[in-house]
Amino acid sequence: MVYGLNALGVKGKHNFKDRSIIYGTSMLITSAITLPLKHIVKEERPDQSNNLSFPSGHTAIAFASAQFMYREYKDTNFLLGISGYSFAVFTGVYRMLNDKHWVGDVVAGAGFGILSTELAYWLYPKINNLLGGKNKNTATMVMPFYQDKSIGIGWVKTF
């Protein structure tokens, strides 16, 4: 929603590059917490389809995104900032109604999602400095490539 609102002219706290670094970091942290925990805890789902119930990954992503939206818009449009939480709550409730998660799975997912985004905002200045945010003589380029039937991404960094 943050990117869509920005495309419609509703500016958030950060520009596209900074916002993308923060959101990408948040998604990486959320996944790095929830995916291994599912395989460590091995809690059976209410519908007994598998043992990957705890924590709710869908809810974690939804709340990480809602917290990201809140952080981007809380100072300029508070109601818009909190609107993402309605979608996040719906996601968690829907996962329980479909017998995919227990209440504890959803609550934990929400907590991990919010904490992941907060950690991403805390880490952002460090990541930005690493990518050359302060030194104006640096340049970074990321470019997809195709060569000899191979696909990849190249990253070039000048200091």
Side-chain angles (χ1 to χ4, degrees), residues 1 3 5 16 29-31 42 63 75 81-82 103 111 114 128 134 140 159:
M1 285 178 58
Y3 289 95
L5 288 167
F16 181 83
I29 294 168
T30 303
S31 298
K42 297 180 181 176
F63 272 89
D75 297 328
I82 63 171
V103 173
I114 290 169
N128 194 35
K134 287 194 175 180
T140 305
F159 301 91

Side-chain angles (χ1 to χ4, degrees), residues 9-37:
V10 182
K11 301 288 184 208
K13 187 174 188 176
H14 292 92
N15 64 34
F16 181 83
K17 175 190 146 241
D18 297 339
R19 176 174 55 238
S20 296
I21 292 170
I22 294 167
Y23 189 64
T25 302
S26 173
M27 293 297 105
L28 284 172
I29 294 168
T30 303
S31 298
I33 292 171
T34 58
L35 293 176
L37 265 178

Side-chain angles (χ1 to χ4, degrees), residues 11 23 29 51 54 66 71 78 86-87 94 109 113 127 143 156:
K11 301 288 184 208
Y23 189 64
I29 294 168
N51 291 332
F54 181 87
R71 290 292 302 260
F78 183 75
S86 60
F87 294 103
Y94 188 73
I127 295 169
M143 183 174 70
V156 178

Side-chain angles (χ1 to χ4, degrees), residues 78-151:
F78 183 75
L79 291 177
L80 187 58
I82 63 171
S83 67
Y85 287 108
S86 60
F87 294 103
V89 168
F90 174 79
T91 300
V93 169
Y94 188 73
R95 298 296 288 166
M96 289 186 297
L97 290 175
N98 279 338
D99 273 344
K100 292 296 180 184
H101 289 288
W102 307 100
V103 173
D105 304 339
V106 169
V107 171
F112 289 136
I114 290 169
L115 288 174
S116 295
T117 297
E118 288 302 312
L119 184 56
Y121 273 92
W122 181 77
L123 286 171
Y124 171 68
K126 295 153 185 54
I127 295 169
N128 194 35
N129 287 340
L130 181 67
L131 295 175
K134 287 194 175 180
N135 186 351
K136 300 297 180 192
N137 294 327
T138 67
T140 305
M141 179 178 71
V142 178
M143 183 174 70
F145 68 84
Y146 176 80
Q147 180 179 2
D148 296 327
K149 298 180 183 176
S150 296
I151 298 173

